[in-house]
């Protein structure tokens, strides 16, 4: 897989949708292309996070620890970014991400991600929008739970 | 130290001074005769006037007499020269011995300085005192008595002659002396004051230069180099002014002295002339007196010169010792004591009304009292600057209480010799210093209290000389490491203990990594290389059996390694030593020639160009100096515009238009490309195949001088040009495989253990040089290493003064648990800023503003 193919996937990541091709190539070049075997953990809940992952090929399961073992909360495929919250907010990983099948991701280190935000206001705005949406979702869910 | 230089000289070289004086006196008649004999030769032997008829009954002819006198002259010259030679050598040696003694004394005193004193003096002031300022004193010492005695003797002789001729003339000759003796010291006093100031100015200059070294980063980042230079310039200026004034005054004294000397003949002419005219003195006598007076000038001048040097040296000596006499310097006996007992420490640590004030009168510890059994684990917590650090330092006796006392099993700490305290307690502080040397040297540093084979050393030349100058009688080549201090019986056990301590402070894996990354040197044994080769085989078979082959791409002469740069692939090797780079090797005419044969060189240049184009596309929007340039780009931000222009020109004029230098730049970029890392799709399968062909062609006819520079990858040979790890791996870690590094790291570790070379690898890591002050290793490792150095000693108590403060909390906690387990049967005192870490200690003391505000006991 080369940079050109990475760019095709990255273009579909909401966070990067406003970036032009040369920025996506920069992201691909500065990121680390990593293959995982099924069952490998990308990150573990509660640990310190240093990287975000863009799924290029394959799928991941997102789980959180429950009283009776891990609870599957989500499942993502190509074109999704996971793990960016931990590196923007400096909080421990909120969930465990596991490769479901043969997985290829673009690993973006905290450093590169921050540099990207600093260098490109459009990325910063996209991150803010994404976070705001999640907060909004969270608030809505919380309100709904309260009314029940 | 002796209060004046004369006392110092007399105390340490009385015998030698007398000897020099005697030899000088003895040589005087010889000198006299060597002047007398030529006169005899001319007047008697040659002139034939007054030849004795016979000498001791032997008849003498004129020729014989000439021969005899000439031989006597020759003999005298030889004897005189010999005496002079020996006297000079003797004086030189004496000077050097006294210098050696003085430097040693000063250095010894530095080691006896009370610890707080070090805060007030600058290292860059003290170092030149010991090395440079003492130098002129040495030269003076050998002349201190002989010169004034000799010149004074001459002066007195001449004066006696004059007084003998005529008492009035004698008074005339010495008429000016009282004036000179009064005026010159007055003038000299001012010069002394100036030279005192000069010494101080030079010292503060040295200290300021020292600060520029310590604060180099600050000066650069805060851009204060202009300010610093102005500062130094002003100091140099005042130094210049002082020096100028010294010259003016010194030479004025000389001038005045000469002038006054010239005045004296005035009296001779007047007084002597008067007496001659009156007929009371013969003209001959006046002339003789005038001649004698001329001779007076020589010794007088020498004495004046001596006086000026003496004054200078006197001032310098006083200035030197003033720095080395702090109040409350540690008693010599406490430092030098050899009495070391092995009786374990019992009883309690009693602290009674302990108060500690620093030199500015600030109370750091104020009336603290407590008592704990020495075997307990005690935490001292409190805010930084609240006095807990001082308390720890007081407990180990680093600083002396102002009031109150600390008793260890009933004995007053302040009176215990250092050798005993250090056997009972080990200490690790916050700013622990590492010495230049290997990791192991530093761990063992605290075991080198005293050589244990001291008695066996012969009384050889070095030792005799050392004894003569009051230097250390211990031989640095002796066996210094004392196993019993570490509580072990053998060297092997000591090494094991050192590794244990490293694991206690969580440094073992770091040192192991250092070992893996180090290269074997020429003098390591061949057996280890054999074992490492075996480890290589084992690893490659285990990679297959564990299904991890995809994590490592092994070197294969017939395959392109997609995880290695183009350059490594081409040469199939690395430079044999670090003085040549792989790029230089590829620029060798033979390599370039082979590459250009079938157009591969052009293709590589094109690849470099393509990579450069991508770099421009990716990075040209970034602000210059952006972090990404350093981390990711093949082209620096400075070069970017240049490349842009170049690529634009190629688009218009074609690749054929570029210069040799520009081709070279593209080639350099191409050589760096790693297909799996950069994923630019430039080094494709076709080029890879051609590069492997080129590799084969290159190695077929490689000239021997080039071959000598390359360490080829060879599956059956150990390569000293590569690290231990690279040798075991014999390939490249695959890029883009999750956790490849960790998994392979684990596999290498298990292989190393299987082959039984873990100790060897650790030994390599332990031989890593930490640099001056440990500058070559990170601060965290420095603190850990310093802690290991304290822990390896098998002491009854360990005092840890916030010694791992730079580590993160959980690491601190883990190490603390390890240390507490290690010290389960020993006492432990640990100062902490964070109270949360102090849980589980038997005793917790809280010190705030110098007072003991809380004490909790927690005995399981």
């Amino acid at each position: 897989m080369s940079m050109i193919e990475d760019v095709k996937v990255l273009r579909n990541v909401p966070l990067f949708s406003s970036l032009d091709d040369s920025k996506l190539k920069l992201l691909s070049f500065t990121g680390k292309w990593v293959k995982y075997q099924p069952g490998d953990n990308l990150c573990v809940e509660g640990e310190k996070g240093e990287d975000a992952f863009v799924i290029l090929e394959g799928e991941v399961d997102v789980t959180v620890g429950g009283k009776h073992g891990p609870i599957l909360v989500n499942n993502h495929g190509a074109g999704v970014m996971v793990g960016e919250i931990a590196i923007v907010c400096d909080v421990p990983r909120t969930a465990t991400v596991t490769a479901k099948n043969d997985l290829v991701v673009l690993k973006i280190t905290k450093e590169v991600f921050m540099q990207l935000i600093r260098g490109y206001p459009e990325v910063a705005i996209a991150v803010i929008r994404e976070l705001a949406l999640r907060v909004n979702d969270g608030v809505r869910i919380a309100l709904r739970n309260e009314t029940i | 130290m002796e209060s004046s230089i004369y006392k110092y000289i007399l105390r340490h070289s009385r015998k030698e001074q007398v000897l020099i004086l005697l030899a000088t006196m003895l040589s005087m008649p010889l000198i006299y005769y060597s002047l007398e004999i030529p006169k005899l030769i001319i007047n008697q032997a040659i002139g034939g006037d007054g030849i004795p008829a016979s000498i001791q009954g032997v008849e003498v002819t004129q020729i014989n007499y000439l021969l005899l006198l000439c031989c006597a002259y020759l003999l005298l010259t030889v004897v005189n020269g010999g005496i002079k030679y020996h006297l000079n050598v003797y004086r030189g040696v004496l000077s050097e011995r006294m210098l050696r003694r003085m430097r040693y004394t000063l250095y010894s005193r530095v080691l006896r300085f009370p610890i707080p004193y070090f805060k007030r003096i600058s290292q860059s002031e003290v170092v030149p005192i010991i090395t440079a300022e003492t130098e002129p004193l040495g030269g003076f010492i050998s002349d201190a008595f002989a010169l004034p005695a000799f010149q004074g003797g001459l002066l007195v002789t001449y004066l006696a002659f004059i007084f003998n001729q005529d008492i009035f003339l004698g008074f005339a000759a010495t008429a000016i002396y009282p004036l000179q003796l009064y005026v010159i010291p007055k003038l000299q006093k001012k010069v002394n004051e100036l030279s005192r100031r000069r010494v101080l100015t030079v010292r503060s200059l040295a200290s300021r230069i020292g600060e520029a070294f310590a604060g180099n980063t600050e000066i650069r980042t805060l851009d204060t180099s202009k300010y610093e230079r102005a500062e130094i310039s002003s100091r140099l200026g005042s130094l210049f002014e002082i020096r100028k004034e010294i010259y003016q005054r010194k030479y004025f004294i000389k001038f005045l002295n000469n002038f006054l000397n010239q005045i004296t003949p005035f009296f001779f002419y007047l007084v002597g002339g008067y007496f001659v005219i009156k007929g009371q003195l013969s003209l001959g006598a006046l002339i003789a007196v005038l001649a004698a007076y001329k001779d007076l000038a020589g010794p007088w001048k020498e004495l004046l010169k001596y006086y000026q040097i003496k004054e200078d040296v006197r001032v310098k000596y006083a200035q030197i010792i003033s720095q080395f006499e702090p109040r409350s310097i540690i008693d010599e006996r406490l430092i030098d004591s050899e009495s070391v007992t092995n009786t374990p420490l019992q009883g309690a640590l009693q602290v009674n009304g302990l108060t500690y004030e620093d030199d500015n009168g600030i109370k750091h510890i104020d009336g603290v009292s407590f008592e704990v059994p020495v075997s307990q684990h005690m935490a001292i917590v409190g805010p930084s600057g609240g006095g807990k650090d001082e308390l720890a330092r007081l407990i180990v006796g680093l600083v002396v209480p102002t009031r109150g006392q600390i008793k260890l099993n009933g004995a007053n700490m302040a009176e215990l010799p250092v050798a005993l305290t250090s056997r009972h307690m080990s200490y690790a502080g916050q700013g622990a210093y590492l010495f230049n040397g290997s990791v192991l040297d530093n761990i063992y540093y605290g075991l080198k209290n005293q050589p244990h084979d001291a008695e066996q050393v012969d009384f050889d030349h070095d030792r005799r000389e050392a004894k003569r100058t009051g230097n250390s009688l211990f031989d640095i080549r002796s066996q210094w490491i004392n196993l019993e201090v570490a509580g072990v019986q053998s060297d092997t056990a000591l090494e094991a203990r050192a590794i244990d301590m490293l694991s206690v402070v969580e440094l073992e894996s770091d040192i192991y990594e250092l070992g893996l990354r180090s290269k074997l040197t020429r003098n390591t044994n061949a057996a280890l290389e054999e074992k490492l080769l075996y480890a290589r085989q084992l690893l490659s078979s285990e990679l297959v059996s564990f299904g991890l082959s995809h994590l490592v791409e092994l070197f294969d002469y017939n395959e392109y390694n997609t995880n290695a740069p183009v350059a490594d692939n081409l040469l199939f090797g690395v430079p044999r030593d670090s003085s040549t780079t792989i790029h230089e090797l590829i620029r060798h005419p033979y390599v370039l020639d082979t590459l250009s044969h079938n157009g591969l060189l052009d293709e590589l240049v094109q690849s470099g160009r393509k990579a450069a184009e991508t770099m421009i596309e990716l990075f040209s929007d970034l602000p210059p100096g952006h972090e990404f340039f350093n981390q990711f780009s093949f082209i620096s931000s400075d070069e970017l515009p240049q490349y842009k222009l170049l690529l634009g020109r190629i688009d218009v004029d074609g690749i054929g238009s570029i210069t040799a230098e520009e081709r070279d730049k593209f080639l350099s970029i191409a050589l760096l490309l790693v297909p799996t890392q950069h994923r630019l799709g430039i080094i494709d399968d076709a080029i890879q195949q051609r590069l492997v062909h080129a590799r084969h062609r290159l190695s077929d006819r490689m000239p021997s001088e080039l071959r000598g520079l390359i360490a080829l990858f060879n599956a059956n040979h150990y390569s000293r040009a590569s690290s231990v790890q690279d040798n075991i791996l014999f390939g490249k870690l695959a890029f883009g495989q999750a956790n490849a590094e960790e998994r392979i790291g684990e596999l290498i570790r298990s292989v190393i253990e299987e082959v039984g070379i873990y100790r060897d690898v650790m030994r390599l890591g332990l031989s890593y040089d930490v640099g001056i002050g440990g500058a070559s290793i990170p601060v965290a490792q420095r603190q850990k290493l310093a802690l290991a150095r304290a822990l390896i000693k098998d002491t009854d108590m360990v005092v840890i003064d916030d010694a791992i403060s730079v580590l993160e909390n959980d690491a601190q906690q883990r190490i603390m648990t390890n240390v507490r387990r290690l010290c389960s049967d020993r006492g432990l005192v640990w100062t902490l800023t964070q109270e949360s870490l102090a849980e589980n200690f038997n005793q917790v003391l809280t010190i705030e503003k110098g007072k003991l505000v809380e004490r909790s006991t927690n005995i399981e």
Side-chain angles (χ1 to χ4, degrees):
Chain A
M1 213 181 196
S2 76
M3 190 189 271
I4 311 297
E5 290 154 67
D6 287 2
V7 169
K8 278 184 203 152
V9 181
L10 288 172
R11 201 177 290 141
N12 294 325
V13 178
L15 207 58
F16 304 134
S17 55
S18 61
L19 295 179
D20 61 35
D21 272 13
S22 70
K23 301 292 172 304
L24 295 178
K25 278 187 189 168
L26 181 64
L27 197 57
S28 155
F29 189 68
T30 53
K32 240 183 181 168
W33 189 84
V34 186
K35 269 184 182 168
Y36 285 88
Q37 315 280 23
D40 283 351
N41 285 334
L42 279 69
C43 60
V44 176
E45 186 182 354
E47 283 185 358
K48 248 184 226 165
E50 292 291 323
D51 315 283
F53 309 89
V54 176
I55 302 167
L56 299 174
E57 268 178 34
E59 282 175 273
V60 296
D61 282 338
V62 181
T63 54
V64 292
K67 272 182 191 163
H68 312 290
I71 303 164
L72 182 71
V73 290
N74 219 333
N75 174 277
H76 294 302
V80 174
M81 184 166 188
V82 291
E84 75 277 26
I85 301 290
I87 66 175
V88 176
C89 309
D90 249 340
V91 291
R93 297 289 191 193
T94 51
T96 299
V97 180
T98 316
K100 195 175 176 188
N101 36 34
D102 278 338
L103 180 76
V104 182
V105 300
L106 189 69
K107 200 165 156 182
I108 300 168
T109 62
K110 181 177 180 170
E111 222 183 349
V112 167
F113 196 72
M114 288 319 227
Q115 290 280 359
L116 207 69
I117 288 176
R118 252 172 250 137
Y120 302 102
E122 54 267 44
V123 176
I125 290 168
V127 171
I128 294 171
R129 189 187 303 129
E130 179 71 21
L131 290 175
L133 282 174
R134 291 197 191 180
V135 171
N136 194 26
D137 285 350
V139 169
R140 228 183 302 152
I141 292 167
L143 284 175
R144 199 186 304 147
N145 289 347
E146 219 151 89
T147 48
I148 294 165
Chain B
M1 285 183 80
E2 290 73 14
S3 57
S4 88
I5 177 108
Y6 278 101
K7 282 188 189 155
Y8 185 83
I9 295 171
L10 281 177
R11 167 133 183 236
H12 298 294
S13 67
R14 186 178 297 134
K15 211 175 73 196
E16 288 85 348
Q17 297 291 350
V18 170
L19 213 70
I20 291 179
L21 200 60
L22 282 180
T24 313
M25 293 302 168
L26 202 77
S27 70
M28 275 166 76
L30 291 176
I31 294 170
Y32 173 79
Y33 278 113
S34 67
L35 295 174
E36 190 63 23
I37 287 181
K39 231 158 56 188
L40 286 179
I41 293 175
I42 291 172
N43 291 343
Q44 295 188 344
I46 302 173
D49 186 15
I51 304 169
S54 67
I55 294 170
Q56 293 192 337
V58 181
E59 207 175 309
V60 181
T61 65
Q62 193 175 359
I63 296 293
N64 282 350
Y65 191 56
L66 177 68
L67 201 65
L68 183 74
L69 284 181
C70 284
C71 286
Y73 175 71
L74 195 65
L75 187 72
L76 267 178
T77 311
V78 171
V79 170
N80 250 336
I83 289 179
K84 214 170 189 174
Y85 166 76
H86 283 288
L87 197 59
N88 280 339
V89 170
Y90 188 78
R91 278 165 38 187
V93 169
L94 174 65
S95 294
E96 281 312 310
R97 282 204 184 112
M98 291 294 278
L99 210 52
R100 179 175 178 183
R101 177 188 291 275
M102 187 177 288
R103 286 180 172 149
Y104 179 80
T105 314
L106 294 176
Y107 177 75
S108 303
R109 292 184 79 87
V110 169
L111 300 184
R112 283 169 51 208
F113 282 174
I115 299 294
Y117 188 63
F118 283 103
K119 279 189 203 159
R120 291 197 286 128
I121 48 166
S122 149
Q123 172 197 337
S124 24
E125 275 183 44
V126 174
V127 173
I129 295 179
I130 300 180
T131 53
E133 282 188 32
T134 48
E135 195 79 49
L137 304 194
F140 171 76
I141 285 170
S142 57
D143 282 340
F145 291 99
L147 194 136
F150 179 68
Q151 299 295 348
L154 281 181
L155 193 71
V156 169
T157 317
Y158 291 134
L159 278 177
F161 174 76
I162 294 173
F163 271 97
N164 205 19
Q165 293 297 316
D166 188 297
I167 192 151
F168 290 106
L169 276 180
F171 284 123
T174 52
I176 296 294
Y177 280 9
L179 183 65
Q180 284 171 304
L181 289 175
Y182 176 75
V183 173
I184 291 172
K186 286 252 145 142
L187 294 170
Q188 182 65 36
K189 217 171 176 181
K190 182 69 192 165
V191 174
N192 288 351
E193 176 50 33
L194 284 168
S195 67
R196 208 188 324 267
R197 263 174 55 203
R198 190 180 79 84
V199 170
L200 293 178
T201 314
V202 170
R203 278 184 198 164
S204 71
L205 178 72
S207 135
R208 192 70 195 186
I209 294 174
E211 280 202 291
F213 276 81
N216 63 70
T217 323
E218 284 72 14
I219 292 175
R220 190 72 50 83
T221 53
L222 301 173
D223 183 29
T224 50
S225 73
K226 290 183 209 74
Y227 176 76
E228 287 299 327
R229 270 181 287 171
E231 166 83 42
I232 291 296
S233 173
S234 110
R235 281 167 200 263
L236 289 174
S238 49
L239 193 60
F240 167 77
E241 292 302 331
I242 294 172
R243 238 338 185 359
K244 199 170 97 185
E245 209 181 329
I246 289 180
Y247 279 130
Q248 281 167 348
R249 290 184 181 268
K250 208 164 110 182
Y251 289 118
F252 179 72
I253 295 175
K254 277 227 162 94
F255 156 76
L256 191 69
N257 185 54
N258 285 343
F259 176 72
L260 293 178
N261 277 347
Q262 296 302 320
I263 288 284
T264 311
F266 165 80
F267 291 106
F268 281 139
Y269 295 132
L270 196 65
V271 179
Y274 176 80
F275 283 133
V276 171
I277 292 169
K278 284 280 171 188
Q280 286 170 346
L281 185 76
S282 74
L283 186 61
L286 179 63
I287 290 170
V289 168
L290 273 170
Y293 180 72
K294 229 178 184 174
D295 289 336
L296 270 184
W300 181 257
K301 234 182 202 163
E302 286 298 318
L303 283 175
L304 178 80
K305 205 160 100 192
Y306 170 82
Y307 170 71
Q308 288 192 314
I309 294 175
K310 184 208 94 179
E311 285 300 298
D312 190 46
V313 163
R314 195 172 59 86
V315 170
K316 279 187 176 137
Y317 180 83
Q319 292 283 36
I320 289 174
I321 61 164
S322 69
Q323 288 289 315
F324 290 83
E325 301 204 304
R327 279 184 302 124
S328 65
I329 189 163
I330 315 284
D331 193 322
E332 222 167 332
R333 282 163 303 175
L334 293 188
I335 297 267
D336 284 343
S337 148
E338 291 185 21
S339 67
V340 174
T341 58
N342 278 323
T343 48
L345 194 60
Q346 285 164 340
L349 178 74
Q350 291 168 287
V351 173
N352 298 320
L354 190 68
T355 298
Y356 171 66
E357 285 175 14
D358 66 17
D359 291 331
N360 301 320
I362 296 169
K363 273 187 191 167
H364 292 276
I365 290 291
D366 188 1
V368 169
S369 304
F370 61 87
E371 183 176 335
V372 286
V374 288
S375 60
Q376 286 204 350
H377 288 192
M378 172 170 78
I380 305 176
V381 297
S384 64
K388 63 176 191 318
D389 305 328
E390 280 75 13
L391 183 56
R393 292 165 149 251
L394 283 159
I395 289 175
V396 288
L398 267 179
V399 287
V400 182
T402 316
R403 276 183 296 281
Q405 51 184 207
I406 300 178
K407 282 186 172 174
L408 202 55
N409 194 21
N412 188 355
M413 275 291 292
E415 287 156 16
L416 291 181
V418 174
L420 191 66
T421 322
S422 115
R423 268 314 277 276
H424 284 320
M425 293 181 172
S426 42
Y427 171 83
Q430 290 170 26
Y433 186 83
L434 296 185
F435 289 84
N436 193 4
S438 70
V439 173
L440 197 65
D441 290 343
N442 274 288
I443 297 178
Y444 288 170
Y445 188 73
L447 310 179
K448 298 176 182 176
N449 310 113
Q450 194 169 304
H452 51 69
D453 57 356
E455 310 306 319
Q456 298 159 15
V457 178
D458 295 340
F459 229 75
D460 60 0
H461 170 77
D462 289 355
R463 222 168 115 95
R464 267 204 310 276
E465 199 55 61
K467 193 176 162 74
R468 216 170 187 159
T469 47
N471 272 232
S472 168
L473 295 183
F474 295 130
D475 192 335
I476 190 66
R477 294 159 297 189
S478 308
Q479 175 56 259
W480 279 83
I481 294 170
N482 291 297
L483 297 174
E484 69 271 26
V485 176
V488 293
Q489 309 298 326
S490 69
D491 289 343
T492 339
L494 181 64
E495 193 180 65
R497 184 170 163 89
I499 294 173
D500 282 349
M501 292 310 126
L502 288 177
S503 95
V504 166
V505 300
E506 297 197 328
L507 202 56
E508 188 179 0
S509 60
D510 291 341
I511 300 298
Y512 165 76
E513 293 284 336
L514 278 178
L516 279 184
R517 275 186 274 135
S518 62
K519 294 173 183 173
L520 290 189
T521 48
R522 207 160 290 158
N523 47 26
T524 40
N525 53 13
L528 180 58
E529 292 186 4
E530 282 300 317
K531 284 180 188 166
L532 285 166
L533 280 178
Y534 177 57
R536 178 188 294 181
Q537 285 171 17
L538 208 58
L539 183 82
S540 77
S541 67
E542 294 206 346
L543 278 173
V544 177
S545 57
F546 285 102
L548 298 174
S549 308
H550 62 289
L551 298 185
V552 181
E553 191 176 10
L554 297 179
F555 292 126
D556 183 337
Y557 186 59
N558 296 314
E559 294 289 337
Y560 191 87
N561 191 315
T562 55
N563 289 292
V566 169
D568 299 31
N569 266 295
L570 198 54
L571 289 183
F572 200 61
V574 289
R576 199 171 279 281
D577 63 70
S578 52
S579 60
T580 42
T581 66
I582 197 153
H583 291 239
E584 281 164 14
L585 295 178
I586 285 176
R587 274 189 202 94
H588 190 277
Y590 167 74
V591 179
L592 290 181
D593 202 43
T594 314
L595 287 181
S596 56
H597 250 313
N598 55 354
L600 185 58
L601 188 61
D602 288 336
E603 219 169 316
L604 285 175
V605 170
Q606 284 287 8
S607 303
R609 180 193 141 196
K610 278 187 220 159
E613 271 170 354
T614 312
M615 292 305 111
I616 301 273
E617 189 189 349
L618 295 179
F619 295 108
S620 57
D621 282 355
L622 290 175
H626 192 279
E627 190 58 24
F628 281 1
F629 283 105
N630 270 335
Q631 275 181 289
F632 301 105
S633 179
F634 298 124
I635 299 172
S636 72
S637 60
D638 301 338
E639 295 170 320
L640 203 76
Q642 225 178 303
Y643 273 93
K644 243 183 186 166
L645 281 177
L646 173 60
L647 291 168
R649 217 183 65 217
I650 293 173
D651 283 343
V652 178
D653 299 343
I655 188 89
S657 68
I658 62 172
T659 63
E661 200 188 324
E662 289 160 347
R663 278 173 71 84
D664 209 44
K665 278 184 178 171
F666 285 140
L667 179 65
S668 299
I669 293 179
L671 290 175
L672 294 171
L673 292 172
V674 179
T676 50
Q677 184 189 2
H678 301 116
R679 297 181 302 122
L680 297 172
I682 295 173
I683 305 298
D684 55 17
D685 291 348
I687 288 201
Q688 291 179 14
Q689 257 180 18
R690 299 187 61 186
L691 281 165
V692 172
H693 280 302
R695 172 198 294 173
H696 292 167
R697 260 198 328 273
L698 276 173
S699 82
D700 282 348
R701 262 173 297 163
M702 188 174 283
S704 59
E705 42 117 3
L706 184 58
R707 175 144 284 161
L709 296 174
I710 303 175
L712 292 174
F713 300 134
N714 183 331
N716 303 316
H717 281 113
Y718 187 88
S719 166
R720 290 206 195 102
S722 304
S723 69
V724 168
Q725 175 161 261
D726 286 347
N727 266 289
I728 296 178
L729 202 57
F730 194 64
K732 289 277 178 182
L733 270 184
F735 281 98
Q737 297 294 340
N739 311 320
E741 213 176 324
E742 294 82 10
R743 285 182 191 170
I744 296 304
E746 283 162 22
L747 196 62
I748 289 179
R749 171 85 185 238
S750 78
V751 163
I752 280 176
E753 273 165 12
E754 207 174 323
V755 181
I757 47 173
Y758 181 72
R759 266 294 171 86
D760 299 276
V761 175
M762 280 305 281
R763 233 167 260 155
L764 289 172
L766 286 169
S767 66
Y768 183 80
D769 201 329
V770 301
I772 294 172
S776 308
I777 58 174
V779 187
Q781 292 192 359
R782 259 179 257 168
Q783 285 205 335
K784 288 174 173 182
L785 192 53
L787 182 56
R789 173 176 64 192
L791 292 174
I792 198 170
K793 287 173 67 183
D794 185 26
T795 50
D796 306 299
M797 274 182 86
V798 179
V799 178
I800 299 173
D801 182 10
D802 228 356
I804 43 173
S805 52
V806 301
L807 303 185
E808 287 180 8
N809 251 349
D810 38 355
Q812 279 199 46
Q813 185 74 64
R814 286 194 307 271
I815 293 177
M816 191 178 278
T817 313
N818 294 343
V819 171
R820 292 199 56 195
R821 196 178 308 130
L822 178 79
C823 299
S824 55
D825 57 347
R826 296 150 77 182
L828 179 64
V829 176
W830 203 312
T831 71
L832 291 162
T833 314
Q834 293 178 33
E835 219 176 323
S836 60
L837 290 171
E839 285 172 19
N840 305 324
F841 275 82
N842 305 134
Q843 303 272 345
V844 180
L845 304 186
T846 309
I847 301 284
E848 272 173 33
K849 292 186 181 157
K851 293 195 190 275
L852 177 61
V853 294
E854 200 189 326
R855 175 175 179 178
S856 58
T857 309
N858 172 23
I859 309 271
E860 300 101 74

